[in-house]
């Protein structure tokens, strides 16, 4: 048996290209935590977007149960990681660490078998729909318009999303102004989405959604907190737009509660938070059991092979920050054409390789 020889993780902090904020948070940098697993002279790579402390969880908590394991037996190793992290606060930092390492293990297995990861999973879609995502509340009108034009008119992406719910829902007139601007820029043929990041109260979100109908908004993401299942259900029942949430859940019990509560029209799943590719397929199965589609939250290049293997997929979020980071720090990053992206099928694994010389300048742990 070829055993996993070594596990390690490194954190990189990349500044944003300008100040960014959504309805409930502001930031000026994004931290990428990269996990690697070695076996048989081959390295598998996974990553998550999380505090640098997630790298310590990989080294200090998870490595002990992953090193020495069979790289072909990922379900057993995933279970061992979850059990090992029992007292480490999962969900949370430990969930991010498990996710990054699980992705690395699947990448390692595919590379050892010398097959593209999308072939190892099996393909349900030859191409994966994407939507442009950014439109931060800190952007002025010119910056917002330029970003929307780039997605809709230069890249031909027929779906775009902006942030609303500014300052915990205290700037509704500006929210509505920015939605009107977005519709004007992209035109009537592009689907317009909004994300409040939990910035509104439930009844406030209902009132806002009625105004969004004037601009044909099709997707209302996290109008209230993802933890407020009753509030999500209230908005969904009164909304013309599809209500989506779920990305912050890091275990299947959370996704199950959300689906059973009738809280969403589409379940958002983030493999960098919910247990990697293993967690993604578990969440997708929960969604399918409730006749719901899934949408991939952020980390677009990481999600591509799993999304392509998911029958009930709606789309992937082509998130501005993560597109910048993955394109700069990895070789093999995808480029959407005509609103779709293709997972790598010409190289083993997920097809992405970290550029150590580029990444080194951003290293923080």
């Amino acid at each position: 048996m070829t055993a996993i020889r070594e596990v390690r993780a490194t954190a990189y902090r990349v500044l944003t290209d300008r100040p960014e904020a959504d309805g409930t948070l502001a930031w000026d940098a994004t931290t990428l935590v990269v996990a690697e697993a070695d076996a048989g002279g081959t390295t598998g790579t996974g990553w998550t977007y999380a505090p640098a402390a997630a790298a310590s969880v990989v080294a200090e908590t998870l490595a002990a149960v992953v090193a020495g394991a069979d790289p072909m037996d990922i379900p057993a190793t995933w279970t061992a990681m979850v059990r090992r992290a029992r007292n480490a606060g999962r969900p949370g930092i430990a969930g991010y660490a498990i996710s990054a390492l699980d992705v690395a293990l699947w990448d390692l297995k595919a590379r050892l078998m010398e097959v593209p990861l999308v072939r190892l999973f099996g393909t349900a879609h030859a191409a994966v729909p994407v939507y442009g995502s950014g439109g931060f509340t800190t952007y002025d009108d010119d910056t917002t318009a330029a970003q929307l034009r780039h997605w809709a008119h230069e890249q031909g992406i027929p779906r775009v999303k902006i942030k609303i719910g500014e300052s915990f829902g205290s700037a509704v007139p500006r929210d509505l102004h920015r939605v009107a601007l977005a519709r004007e820029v992209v035109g009537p043929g592009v689907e317009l989405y909004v994300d409040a990041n939990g910035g509104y109260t439930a009844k406030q979100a209902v009132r806002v959604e009625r105004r969004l109908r004037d601009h044909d908004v099709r997707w209302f993401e996290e109008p209230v907190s993802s933890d407020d299942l009753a509030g999500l259900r209230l908005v969904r029942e009164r909304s013309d737009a599809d209500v989506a949430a779920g990305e912050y859940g890091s275990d299947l019990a959370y996704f199950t509660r959300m689906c059973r509560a009738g809280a969403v029209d589409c379940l958002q799943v983030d493999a960098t938070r919910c247990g990697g590719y293993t967690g993604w397929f578990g969440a997708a199965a929960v969604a399918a059991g409730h006749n719901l589609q899934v949408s991939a939250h952020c980390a677009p290049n990481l999600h591509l092979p799993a999304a392509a293997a998911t029958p009930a997929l709606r789309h992937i979020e082509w998130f501005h920050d993560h597109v910048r980071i993955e394109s700069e720090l990895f070789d093999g990053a995808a480029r959407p054409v005509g609103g779709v992206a293709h997972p790598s099928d010409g190289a083993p694994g997920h097809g992405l390789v970290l550029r150590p010389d580029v990444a080194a300048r951003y290293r923080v742990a």
Side-chain angles (χ1 to χ4, degrees):
M1 179 192 79
T2 299
I4 296 171
R5 182 174 58 85
E6 184 181 358
V7 172
R8 57 191 173 275
T10 311
Y12 306 93
R13 185 175 184 269
V14 181
L15 296 178
T16 59
D17 52 4
R18 52 177 52 85
E20 296 177 357
D22 55 34
T24 54
L25 188 68
W27 63 95
D28 60 9
T30 299
T31 301
L32 173 79
V33 175
V34 177
E36 296 177 305
D38 299 335
T42 299
T43 298
T45 303
W47 65 95
T48 185
Y49 294 93
S56 298
V57 176
V58 171
E60 298 171 8
T61 303
L62 303 180
V65 296
V66 176
D70 188 330
M72 298 294 112
D73 295 338
I74 296 175
T77 306
W78 186 88
T79 301
M81 288 194 292
V82 170
R83 289 173 175 170
R84 183 74 172 186
R86 190 197 71 177
N87 290 343
R90 185 177 182 267
I93 295 295
Y96 288 111
I98 291 169
S99 299
L101 195 45
D102 179 84
V103 170
L105 293 176
W106 280 105
D107 185 48
L108 173 63
K109 180 174 181 175
R111 291 176 189 271
L112 288 171
M113 297 176 67
E114 299 184 340
V115 298
L117 188 54
V118 70
R119 298 299 175 192
L120 180 61
F121 289 154
T123 304
H125 310 280
V128 177
V130 305
Y131 68 88
S133 173
F136 303 106
T137 60
T138 43
Y139 284 4
D140 60 25
D141 285 0
D142 289 342
T143 302
T144 300
Q147 188 178 66
L148 291 166
R149 277 192 215 99
H150 173 67
W151 292 327
H153 304 312
E154 296 172 19
Q155 291 189 305
I157 299 176
R159 310 162 203 90
V160 299
K161 185 177 80 178
I162 67 168
K163 301 290 190 180
I164 61 171
E166 182 177 343
S167 301
F168 290 88
S170 65
V172 172
R174 185 165 189 264
D175 292 339
L176 296 174
H177 163 76
R178 295 178 62 252
V179 172
L181 171 69
R183 175 52 74 197
E184 179 182 357
V185 170
V186 302
V190 173
E191 293 185 14
L192 180 56
Y193 303 164
V194 297
D195 182 358
N197 287 98
Y200 298 130
T201 64
K203 289 187 177 180
Q204 182 186 27
V206 170
R207 293 192 295 270
V208 169
E209 192 279 329
R210 289 171 181 164
R211 302 288 300 277
L212 297 179
R213 298 177 193 181
D214 295 339
H215 308 291
D216 192 23
V217 170
R218 306 287 184 84
W219 170 277
F220 197 178
E221 182 175 330
E222 207 182 8
V224 300
S225 168
S226 287
D227 292 327
D228 183 3
L229 301 188
L232 285 169
R233 180 173 180 173
L234 174 67
V235 179
R236 185 189 66 79
E237 290 176 342
R238 299 189 182 187
S239 176
D240 277 357
D242 282 352
V243 171
E247 70 272 15
Y248 298 108
S250 61
D251 57 36
L252 297 186
Y254 171 86
F255 291 122
T256 300
R257 289 194 300 272
M258 178 164 282
C259 292
R260 286 179 175 172
V264 293
D265 297 290
C266 183
L267 187 67
Q268 283 187 290
V269 183
D270 189 332
T272 75
R273 299 175 177 182
C274 73
Y277 292 139
T278 301
W280 164 278
F281 287 114
V286 170
H290 291 82
N291 297 309
L292 292 177
Q293 290 182 307
V294 297
S295 175
H297 175 261
C298 293
N301 286 281
L302 181 148
H303 280 114
L304 267 174
T310 302
L313 178 83
R314 182 170 295 198
H315 41 42
I316 282 181
E317 181 175 15
W318 207 253
F319 183 57
H320 174 70
D321 285 356
H322 298 175
V323 169
R324 285 182 58 241
I325 292 170
E326 291 168 7
S327 296
E328 181 179 4
L329 270 61
F330 292 92
D331 285 321
R335 295 180 181 273
V337 177
V340 300
H342 296 82
S344 173
D345 64 359
H350 49 51
L352 274 73
V353 178
L354 186 70
R355 297 168 173 159
D357 53 334
V358 176
R361 71 186 71 153
Y362 300 113
R363 182 169 178 173
V364 292

